[in-house]
Amino acid sequence: GDMARSALIAASVLLLQSADAFLSTPRALGSAGKPPMLGKASSVSRRLQAAPLGSLSCASDTSSLVAWLEENGCKANCEPSGDDAGRGLVATSAIKKGDEVCTIPIKVMMTEETAVQALGGKAKEVDAETAIALQLLKERSMGDASFYAPWIGSLPKSDQMDVPIMWSDKEKEWLEGTKVGEDVEELAENLEDELSQLKAAGWDKIVGDMSQEDYTWATSVVSSRAISHPKLPGGVALVPLADFARQSGGGGVPEVSFEGIMRTPAIKVRSGDGIAKGEDVCIAYSGSVAGGSDNSALLFKRGLCDLTVVGGSYDMTFGVSSMDPFRDDKEDILEQQGFPTEMAFTLSSDEMDWEDVPQSYWDMMAYLRLICVTGQDAFLLESVFRNDVWDFMNYPVSKDNEKLMLETLIGTVEGALEGFDTTEGEDARAQTSEDLPLRQRMAAACRLGERKALGVALSMYLTDLDSLDSKEYYQERRLRELNLDRPLDESEIIDPDMPIGRNAVDDMY
């Protein structure tokens, strides 16, 4: 009835993209927590037996970069192949699985610490990613006088970057109907707001004139090329040479090591798979999922896709509607549990491993059960249950509540699937077609990944809907906990014709 419709309205969906540092939501300037600084490692990785970069052959447009890296202590069994988008590392010798590919000392990286050194203490007022982007703009304005000039010269120009924020309007049309396409539009608005805030805070006097294109380029370089690690200053760094690596779910994973007598911090990359001489050296970025890559997150954040796999994610945000008659109680419960009144949940193309279910799945189910509470279940929202109500929501509340929650999820997923203007077959052919532009193929891979994530979720929710009669709900659980779900003993049965009252009790005794 009206109550159910109110709950459905309460489950109105906003769609957000989750991706490491540069999300579609505005980044809170200066509010990011600071991970621990680099400390001494408890063990030392085996030393890299690699040729110095200077002895390697290299493309002429990366020769100054290679010389600079060698001069500053980099070691590698790979070299840049360098396409227009500034991507590509190739092995200069055969590399076994688990062997070291390259070691890059911290002195050539851009980190939160180097940003403070270059920009002053004001850099501590913004988050690490923003500080590094601002340092990048400052260093670029210095030209050859910058220590980082050989590396900055190797970076792609705005129109060469494959992150969708840099695509032309015509290319962005390939993303219509996708979550990534929506997030790109929102990100553009957020970056405009950020630049306005930075200028109002006086950053143009420190960095120099910053156009919107300049700032978008710098933030996109950090988003697409940075490596995250908790032992790095600020948890993130731009790492020359490693930033050329493309994506593969079977690629290497960067680690922090400590080199030499002085225990100098460095980023070390080991091979995820065996690599033959001349083959691509890849990194398994944080957009990797079991069995492949999350092409949705990778495309949005890094401008990368693994065109050999179908994998992706789709984020849905649910919230308490202003029309919900129980809004105040529900928001109070969410606040007590540390949840916002609007919250994003990620659907993955990975099949659910019911032996190892992520906590985020249970959080989503509890969250949705709460916002779908209506009618006879509303007594659970009373203050007397406030300390226990979230535990109640972690399990099915009632058949009506569970049905409404699942139908809300199913309707949301089906609505997202209807938003695609291509078929799955068309996207599969486009992803594998070498006759199409790379960005068109990546857009197709994004659609396939999102569609797969939605399909996996839809199948799971439909199966769950079919099992409503086999679930145990709050009332059954409560009776069981009170040991009242058993047949009554004869002593517990009262004759309905027996008079009740003080006189009757006196007569009995």
Side-chain angles (χ1 to χ4, degrees):
D2 292 338
M3 304 291 276
R5 283 193 293 273
S6 296
L8 281 170
I9 293 171
S12 57
V13 180
L14 307 170
L15 302 170
L16 302 173
Q17 179 70 33
S18 171
D20 295 341
F22 285 67
L23 304 178
S24 59
T25 50
R27 301 194 303 281
L29 301 178
S31 64
K34 304 296 188 291
M37 303 297 282
L38 283 163
K40 186 173 181 179
S42 58
S43 60
V44 182
S45 302
R46 57 194 176 95
R47 302 177 69 88
L48 174 63
Q49 302 298 320
L53 282 171
S55 69
L56 304 176
S57 60
C58 57
S60 59
D61 59 350
T62 58
S63 57
S64 60
L65 170 63
V66 169
W68 176 72
L69 290 169
E70 182 192 18
E71 289 170 4
N72 286 283
C74 295
K75 301 175 183 178
N77 282 320
C78 59
E79 62 183 3
S81 60
D83 59 18
D84 288 342
R87 292 289 187 185
L89 277 180
V90 294
T92 55
S93 61
I95 304 172
K96 296 180 180 178
K97 180 177 181 178
D99 280 358
E100 295 166 11
V101 176
C102 59
T103 299
I104 301 99
I106 198 168
K107 68 180 292 186
V108 301
M109 303 180 204
M110 281 192 189
T111 67
E112 185 179 55
E113 285 185 348
T114 63
V116 172
Q117 294 167 6
L119 305 172
K122 192 175 178 65
K124 296 179 181 179
E125 298 176 4
V126 298
D127 61 77
E129 293 84 1
T130 303
I132 294 170
L134 292 170
Q135 182 191 359
L136 178 58
L137 288 173
K138 177 72 172 179
E139 301 286 350
R140 188 178 70 165
S141 71
M142 295 168 60
D144 291 341
S146 170
F147 168 72
Y148 299 95
W151 170 68
I152 293 175
S154 73
L155 294 175
K157 306 297 187 290
S158 294
D159 61 352
Q160 296 172 324
M161 298 183 71
D162 285 327
V163 283
I165 189 71
M166 293 298 193
W167 291 10
S168 68
D169 290 341
K170 182 174 179 59
E171 290 170 329
K172 288 175 183 176
E173 291 178 2
W174 293 329
L175 294 171
E176 286 186 2
T178 66
K179 187 65 191 65
V180 169
E182 293 179 15
D183 291 337
V184 169
E185 293 179 3
E186 189 172 354
L187 176 59
E189 295 176 1
N190 293 338
L191 291 178
E192 289 181 7
D193 291 342
E194 285 186 14
L195 182 58
S196 297
Q197 293 178 46
L198 290 168
K199 287 184 174 181
W203 274 101
D204 50 342
K205 296 180 178 64
I206 299 173
V207 176
D209 291 337
M210 290 186 290
S211 68
Q212 190 62 55
E213 181 180 348
D214 291 335
Y215 185 65
T216 302
W217 172 81
T219 56
S220 296
V221 168
V222 178
S223 172
S224 63
R225 304 176 78 92
I227 287 176
S228 299
H229 196 287
K231 290 185 179 180
L232 289 169
V236 65
L238 283 171
V239 185
L241 186 64
D243 68 323
F244 279 80
R246 295 190 176 97
Q247 154 69 18
S248 171
V253 177
E255 60 186 52
V256 173
S257 65
F258 297 83
E259 303 293 309
I261 297 176
M262 301 303 295
R263 318 299 296 142
T264 304
I267 282 287
K268 189 186 297 290
V269 178
R270 296 183 183 276
S271 172
D273 295 321
I275 307 171
K277 180 178 180 180
E279 287 186 346
D280 275 350
V281 172
C282 297
I283 286 178
Y285 292 106
S286 56
S288 300
V289 295
S293 303
D294 181 347
N295 282 329
S296 311
L298 284 168
L299 178 59
F300 177 74
K301 177 179 171 61
R302 295 190 177 274
L304 295 172
C305 276
D306 188 340
L307 297 176
T308 66
V309 301
V310 176
S313 63
Y314 200 98
D315 278 24
M316 305 186 300
T317 297
F318 298 91
V320 182
S321 170
S322 59
M323 299 178 66
D324 192 324
F326 306 108
R327 176 185 179 185
D328 290 344
D329 286 322
K330 292 178 181 180
E331 290 186 346
D332 183 56
I333 293 166
L334 290 172
E335 182 180 358
Q336 183 176 323
Q337 296 301 318
F339 290 107
T341 56
E342 219 174 68
M343 187 169 178
F345 299 96
T346 300
L347 306 180
S348 172
S349 59
D350 284 343
E351 297 286 345
M352 182 70 75
D353 179 3
W354 294 106
E355 297 297 323
D356 186 23
V357 179
Q359 183 60 41
S360 59
Y361 172 80
W362 302 122
D363 289 342
M364 181 180 73
M365 302 304 278
Y367 195 101
L368 288 171
R369 288 184 184 116
L370 177 67
I371 65 174
C372 287
V373 165
T374 62
Q376 293 182 349
D377 297 323
F379 76 94
L380 294 172
L381 304 178
E382 296 291 342
S383 58
V384 67
F385 295 114
R386 198 51 48 98
N387 292 330
D388 302 308
V389 64
W390 191 253
D391 290 335
F392 299 159
M393 298 299 142
N394 276 279
Y395 301 92
V397 174
S398 69
K399 186 174 181 179
D400 287 343
N401 177 267
E402 196 78 353
K403 184 173 184 286
L404 180 57
M405 182 267 291
L406 290 169
E407 287 178 343
T408 299
L409 282 169
I410 291 168
T412 301
V413 170
E414 288 179 338
L417 287 169
E418 291 172 1
F420 296 113
D421 57 4
T422 55
T423 67
E424 186 173 358
E426 289 171 340
D427 289 335
R429 289 189 293 273
Q431 176 175 329
T432 58
S433 174
E434 297 184 359
D435 295 330
L436 294 176
L438 174 62
R439 292 178 181 178
Q440 189 172 355
R441 295 177 65 192
M442 291 197 294
C446 171
R447 288 193 297 273
L448 280 174
E450 290 187 4
R451 184 182 274 113
K452 183 176 180 181
L454 291 164
V456 168
L458 181 60
S459 176
M460 184 167 57
Y461 302 149
L462 288 171
T463 300
D464 214 9
L465 188 64
D466 288 338
S467 65
L468 289 177
D469 290 334
S470 64
K471 294 188 176 186
E472 183 184 55
Y473 298 105
Y474 171 78
Q475 290 186 357
E476 289 85 0
R477 288 196 304 275
R478 188 61 176 157
L479 289 172
R480 175 172 51 78
E481 291 167 358
L482 296 173
N483 196 29
L484 296 176
D485 61 339
R486 54 177 173 73
L488 291 175
D489 186 86
E490 288 186 7
S491 63
E492 298 173 310
I493 301 175
I494 299 176
D495 185 347
D497 297 326
M498 178 181 293
I500 301 296
R502 184 177 184 84
N503 292 335
V505 173
D506 292 340
D507 290 342
M508 292 174 62
Y509 298 95

